Amino acid sequence: MITVKFKRDAQVRAAELIEGAGIPVYDGERERIEVTDFGLSNPLVEGAQILTWVQTERIGVKVIALLPHQTLPEHWHPSVENEAGKEETVRHIWGDLIIGVTGEPASADSAADLPREKEIYYTCWHEIVASPGQQVTFAPGEKHWFHAGARGAVAYSFSTVVRDAFDGFTDPGVDRITKVIDDRELQDRQER
Ligand code: ZN
């Protein structure tokens, strides 16, 4: 769960990152940026801001903006019924982006400060420290996560058939639908 205020602030910060990366954010688009906490209620640690440009039954084109040190949790795009599942290409545009994929660690030290005490939910040990223009394609079912370094990160995501609701997450606590509540409501809950 996130608050209305957090959502607005995150949209502003994400739009700044996206524009800073040289991608214009046009009228009305900032308010359309999806702010998700993946149901984990710790959005500065695990979360993402996603501006969707195209989402049809066949193709998805999105801009993903990660705030500094934010992690988009490990997930995969499974096949649904008779469809092959989503193939996704992520192209790094700006900032510090580390992409986790399956495989042996590339070095002894992790470049990503992944969420503490959640190690069991991060099984993609091979880290790609992406440089701008670098892109990685994930086959359907292939696990991956994204982590932003100190500056945050902006990347494009191009994918086939989008069925985000069916995405699999290693962390069973993930809920792809983010609840947004009033700031007053949060206060009431905390006082109770
Ligand atoms: Zn993905």
Side-chain angles (χ1 to χ4, degrees), residues 75 77 88 144 146:
H75 65 281
H77 309 286
E88 180 181 28
H144 49 281
F146 305 114

Side-chain angles (χ1 to χ4, degrees), residues 141-173:
E142 210 178 319
K143 288 183 181 172
H144 49 281
W145 50 255
F146 305 114
H147 177 81
R151 292 183 297 165
V154 177
Y156 291 124
S157 164
F158 306 100
S159 67
T160 55
V161 55
V162 179
R163 298 255 193 281
D164 287 349
F166 293 100
D167 286 352
F169 283 82
T170 308
D171 182 349

Side-chain angles (χ1 to χ4, degrees), residues 1 11 15 17 20 23 38 76 83 86 90 95 112 114 116 118 121 132 136 146 152 154 166-167 175 180 187:
M1 134 183 79
Q11 285 173 329
L17 285 170
I23 304 165
F38 297 93
W76 66 94
E83 287 162 3
K86 169 169 131 175
V90 167
L114 290 174
R116 272 166 216 205
K118 300 203 91 179
Y121 304 132
V136 180
F146 305 114
V154 177
F166 293 100
D167 286 352
D175 180 351
V180 181
Q187 241 172 30

